[in-house]
Amino acid sequence: MPPVKHYSSSEVNQYELSSRLLSLTENNTSYTLTQINGQRIYRKAPHAWSGPEPSRNCEVFIGRIPHDCFEDTLVPLFRQAGELFEFRLMINFSGWNRGYAFAMYTTDAEASNAIRMFNNYMIRPSWQLGVCPSINNCRIFISRIPPTTPSAEIVRLLYALTDEVQEVRIRRSIASCAAIVEYKSHRGAAMARKALVAAAAAAWGCGARPAVDWSLPQSPQLLKQYREVGRWTPERGVELTRAPEEAAACSPPPAAPSYTLEPWSQARRLRMIHEAQRNAAAADWSSRIANGMESLMSSMSSLSLGLGAAGLEAGERAVWAPPAARAPPPAPDFNPWTARHPLQEFIAHAKTDQ
């Protein structure tokens, strides 16, 4: 296992990083390393490969990469799954990586082996990689479109601002509007995404701030919610059609993805589970308090509390009252023949003194 290098400074040490990356090509001359369009490509040299490039099934997507982790760590790691044809790491302007990369192997069996070995792989303490099949994503998702914008205007703007548009699907509600734009190729979608991020806000105007991003891999399941389908041609202009609900309902369910959920999906699912458990515990506690109060009231109502059992009728609630004052015991009948004389003791003492 190659050692993991950490770059803790706020800026990448380009000299140290260049020396580390140079060792990759010096030790193995059958690969070249170039950087273009925000990505650094480690690829088989032309003299080391003959024949067509591997198919799309041989490429895997690598996500959740630490931003200070580079090819000197990743390439030796993913070589353990098979022979690499190409490794592309996405780089930003500051020199850090953007958190994801693509690894293309020479066979699809090696790609499957990489998914099995390195999906949820702990590259650092409490830091797991996510590896799944690479998806040739040709769709862009646009949200926060002003709901008052006509659908024909949305289609016309997207065809005017970007190239290789195949179709535009629009979903509307009372207060929101969103669109999924499908392009003819992944490159066309990537170029369109860059153009739309810069021009969408100015194109819609009125203070609009549309959000532009890649469509999720699960978007084929959600396309049935986007009823309006728009296309534009120079001959006919904008053509809008509405997808029938029956066709969407009768379409076969898409195959389940062979990779795990994204982190935000896992966090949302766990949060929903915790909320459900907390609500159930609160409801159980409330029911216990209610049952306890009911049993206490029933036990209190069964007590006489000094009123006497005879004074309580069935269903009558007992009310507390202070106890009545105790009457003095009746005086015994006076018998002058047997009663003691009040001065008997005085008379007796007087006789003894004489």
Side-chain angles (χ1 to χ4, degrees):
M1 183 69 62
V4 178
K5 287 85 176 177
H6 297 271
Y7 302 85
S8 57
S9 61
S10 58
E11 294 182 359
V12 179
N13 189 334
Q14 296 292 345
Y15 178 78
E16 180 186 358
L17 179 60
S18 299
S19 62
R20 295 181 184 277
L21 297 180
L22 189 61
S23 63
L24 290 175
T25 56
E26 287 181 348
N27 298 334
N28 193 345
T29 58
S30 59
Y31 287 88
T32 60
L33 186 63
T34 57
Q35 183 169 342
I36 184 174
N37 293 334
Q39 56 183 339
R40 199 159 43 226
I41 305 174
Y42 180 77
R43 184 184 174 93
K44 278 276 192 182
H47 68 272
W49 182 263
S50 59
E53 293 185 3
S55 65
R56 191 73 181 182
N57 297 332
C58 300
E59 188 175 62
V60 298
F61 172 80
I62 308 164
R64 302 198 293 268
I65 301 175
H67 293 285
D68 58 347
C69 186
F70 299 100
E71 290 90 342
D72 56 323
T73 299
L74 297 172
V75 168
L77 178 65
F78 281 88
R79 273 181 180 165
Q80 300 178 17
E83 184 179 4
L84 283 173
F85 177 80
E86 183 181 79
F87 189 91
R88 295 184 290 129
L89 182 64
M90 305 298 118
I91 304 296
N92 57 24
F93 292 106
S94 62
W96 304 107
N97 75 70
R98 298 172 61 185
Y100 65 95
F102 296 89
M104 179 175 285
Y105 290 88
T106 56
T107 62
D108 54 354
E110 293 171 337
S112 301
N113 192 32
I115 297 172
R116 180 182 57 82
M117 291 177 60
F118 298 117
N119 188 32
N120 297 324
Y121 175 79
M122 191 79 69
I123 192 170
R124 290 182 185 174
S126 302
W127 200 306
Q128 293 179 333
L129 296 177
V131 183
C132 66
S134 177
I135 299 174
N136 192 9
N137 199 350
C138 300
R139 293 190 178 100
I140 298 297
F141 174 70
I142 307 174
S143 60
R144 298 206 300 259
I145 300 175
T148 57
T149 307
S151 300
E153 184 66 19
I154 296 174
V155 176
R156 187 180 297 107
L157 281 173
L158 291 172
Y159 271 88
L161 294 174
T162 59
D163 299 324
E164 298 188 14
V165 181
Q166 191 166 351
E167 71 174 16
V168 180
R169 288 180 171 262
I170 302 171
R171 182 188 65 185
R172 288 185 177 277
S173 64
I174 298 176
S176 65
C177 181
I180 289 181
V181 191
E182 186 166 355
Y183 292 85
K184 297 179 181 178
S185 65
H186 175 73
R187 182 182 180 279
M191 300 301 294
R193 178 173 174 269
K194 290 183 178 180
L196 289 174
V197 167
W204 268 282
C206 300
R209 299 180 60 185
V212 182
D213 205 346
W214 290 103
S215 179
L216 296 175
Q218 300 94 329
S219 61
Q221 308 175 23
L222 306 178
L223 282 180
K224 60 183 180 180
Q225 301 179 9
Y226 292 75
R227 301 295 183 196
E228 292 184 274
V229 181
R231 296 181 178 88
W232 179 88
T233 56
E235 299 80 13
R236 299 183 178 180
V238 177
E239 295 180 330
L240 287 174
T241 58
R242 188 168 182 83
E245 299 183 4
E246 294 79 6
C250 297
S251 58
S258 59
Y259 49 92
T260 58
L261 293 172
E262 291 298 320
W264 65 269
S265 299
Q266 294 179 356
R268 182 177 64 179
R269 182 178 61 181
L270 291 175
R271 185 167 62 252
M272 293 174 64
I273 292 174
H274 292 163
E275 290 178 358
Q277 292 176 347
R278 186 163 56 249
N279 294 338
D284 183 42
W285 181 251
S286 300
S287 63
R288 288 185 180 182
I289 293 177
N291 294 336
M293 292 296 296
E294 184 178 356
S295 62
L296 179 61
M297 294 300 296
S298 61
S299 61
M300 290 180 63
S301 62
S302 62
L303 296 176
S304 62
L305 297 177
L307 295 180
L312 292 179
E313 299 179 358
E316 182 182 1
R317 177 169 297 190
V319 179
W320 183 86
R326 180 178 298 178
D333 296 335
F334 180 72
N335 189 355
W337 304 107
T338 60
R340 189 176 180 180
H341 195 278
L343 298 178
Q344 184 176 357
E345 293 182 2
F346 177 78
I347 295 172
H349 287 295
K351 289 182 178 180
T352 54
D353 292 337
Q354 293 177 358

